[in-house]
Amino acid sequence: MNQNLKVIHLILSREKIIDFFKVNFDLISHDKGQNIKKEDAISIIRAMGQNPSQNDSQQALSKAGLSAKKYLNFVEFKLYADFIWNDEDEESLESMLYSAFKQLDENQSGSIDSSELRKIMLNYGEPLSFQECNDLMMLADINHDGKISYLEFIRLFTQTLDD
């Protein structure tokens, strides 16, 4: 296992992962974090670095007893997510942040620049304003080089969950 992933594994507790689920759930929810459309659940999982197929998603919903539901509350989403994570390999949870970082780093430069961050934050989930994207970039870019490195990304993630 990569040294950075070992560090992430030590930092992340189950509670922080659930907090990360909640942040993503709230971004997708159209009713202030109460519910999401069942079909949006896979989008949240994919935004968190996993890539289950539609079939995997349907199987997880079925195993969780949620196939007939049109909307999922957060408790139901966590149950669904647990089935997705448990069907993945053992390192999936540990590599979640690394996968998310790689997806944000579209040009695979090893860092996320402001245009990559803006593209994601303006177009997915609950869109942030241009100013909010700038504020997020300033918060994350600790060394002020105009890019978010992997370690800055991890620090932003853990700092956000601790606040």
Side-chain angles (χ1 to χ4, degrees):
M1 182 185 328
N2 176 313
Q3 186 63 30
N4 288 337
L5 292 179
K6 287 181 184 177
V7 171
I8 293 168
H9 181 67
L10 292 173
I11 292 171
L12 292 179
S13 67
R14 177 79 174 148
E15 182 179 313
K16 287 187 180 196
I17 292 166
I18 291 170
D19 287 346
F20 192 52
F21 280 160
K22 182 65 173 148
V23 167
N24 284 280
F25 182 92
D26 289 347
L27 286 172
I28 296 289
S29 174
H30 296 287
D31 59 0
K32 299 183 181 178
Q34 298 299 311
N35 295 286
I36 60 168
K37 292 178 186 174
K38 178 176 69 176
E39 57 270 9
D40 288 340
I42 194 170
S43 299
I44 296 172
I45 296 297
R46 286 180 176 159
M48 296 169 65
Q50 295 300 307
N51 194 22
S53 67
Q54 286 291 345
N55 187 46
D56 293 337
S57 180
Q58 290 302 319
Q59 287 178 356
L61 287 166
S62 180
K63 288 178 187 175
L66 302 170
S67 295
K69 296 195 62 108
K70 187 173 181 176
Y71 294 92
L72 303 177
N73 63 34
F74 183 63
V75 172
E76 293 165 334
F77 171 74
K78 281 193 313 183
L79 182 60
Y80 161 81
D82 283 343
F83 279 104
I84 293 287
W85 291 119
N86 290 334
D87 283 348
E88 296 289 331
D89 64 45
E90 223 173 271
E91 271 191 41
S92 292
L93 206 48
E94 296 170 10
S95 64
M96 175 182 65
L97 286 176
Y98 184 72
S99 296
F101 179 82
K102 289 305 234 180
Q103 287 181 355
L104 290 170
D105 181 17
E106 288 183 334
N107 64 5
Q108 302 302 303
S109 65
S111 60
I112 302 165
D113 63 35
S114 60
S115 65
E116 290 170 323
L117 181 67
R118 241 184 239 105
K119 182 178 178 181
I120 297 293
M121 294 300 163
L122 292 173
N123 295 309
Y124 296 98
E126 185 69 30
L128 297 181
S129 70
F130 192 80
Q131 183 59 48
E132 289 170 325
C133 289
N134 287 341
D135 292 346
L136 182 59
M137 186 70 180
M138 287 176 46
L139 178 67
D141 184 18
I142 296 166
N143 65 1
H144 307 292
D145 65 352
K147 301 177 277 190
I148 302 171
S149 70
Y150 180 62
L151 293 177
E152 288 171 326
F153 179 78
I154 298 304
R155 183 170 179 182
L156 174 69
F157 171 81
T158 57
Q159 183 179 34
T160 301
L161 291 179
D162 287 339
D163 291 342

